[in-house]
Amino acid sequence: MELAYIPSPSTGVVHLGPIPLRGYAFCIIIGVFVAVWLGNKRWVARGGRPGTVADIAVWAVPFGLVGGRLYHVITDYQLYFGEGRNWVDAFKIWEGGLGIWGAIALGAVGAWIGCRLRGIPLPAWADALAPGIAVAQAFGRWGNWFNQELYGRATDLPWALEISDGPNRVAGTYHPTFLYESLWCLGVAALVIWADRRFTLGHGRAFALYVAAYCAGRGWIEYMRVDEAHHVLGLRLNVWTAIVVFVAAVTYLILSARLRPGREEVVEPVGPEGEAPADAAGEAAADPEAVRAAAPTADLTKPDLAKADPAKPDATKPDLAKADPAKPDATKPDVTKADLAKPAPAEPGLPAQAEDTAPGAKKL
């Protein structure tokens, strides 16, 4: 007789009038919102603009849901296309059945499209979102609890999960593998956040660490499950998938650290209106050198009337005291050649000089 156990809900759906509210869907939705919220905070901290993570998630999430469902249907095709099965059930995603491997793979395609449209490097965006994805998985696993699915071997441990009798399951107490994976995912999120701060991970290495750490836990948790699955060389298909993806993630970590050390200096280009990302603008305001560099430079070719010294002469006005005697005085009328051509008035008592009117003669 078990002294303690984790009870399972009697139903995974609550009807609000004609509208069914499914626990499995709620867990996924909550996970997505938490992932976007945490990813946005990390993105802004790295110099990105608020809202960019959500804009790209609009592409990544639908692709991820389709990819997760496709992976589940392909690897468990006998549940939908076997004898006595209805292939329409393959579209009933609310009844459970999402493969994380397909969700991440196809979700990455959607994220790549969103990043391309925004001119953002996909590895940087994935690094910012990596812990949030792990937290989203932690929430999503509780959807399996609502559906009473994906549990482990029978056990009488105090934290055993009680399963009621139903289609494709036998009543009893089993290892709560959904709980094991949920807690493991929270640990993975904490590990990625710590390692990112400690080693300044960049160029997709934070995401690769998340993938490797998740696969390490998924391997032994998957090995405990007793639900129907395909086996290869005595191991469940998902165990082999975890091994292969783990090796690929570790390989990427090593090669990336050698080929592209450090972290991206700029994760998001300047906006279309010329505004800098929020964090970058804050850093520039806090840096006196940046403030001086951004300040407008005064035009030295124009006098600054506001700062003019009354004791100094105005350079824009002529200095009569220093006038050059060789130069004509601009303040006196200019004597033209016509004035010089006029005869000078005769002195009293002297006859006037006759004017030379010979052709071609010049007037003096």
Side-chain angles (χ1 to χ4, degrees), residues 283-298:
E283 292 179 358
D287 186 1
E289 295 295 335
V291 173
R292 283 195 291 269
T297 304

Side-chain angles (χ1 to χ4, degrees), residues 65-77 97-103 218 237-242:
L65 290 174
V66 173
R69 188 60 176 178
L70 282 175
Y71 181 88
H72 168 72
V73 172
I74 292 173
T75 56
D76 292 310
Y77 62 88
L98 289 174
I100 185 62
W101 316 110
R218 178 61 183 268
L237 177 61
N238 282 335
V239 174
W240 284 110
T241 305

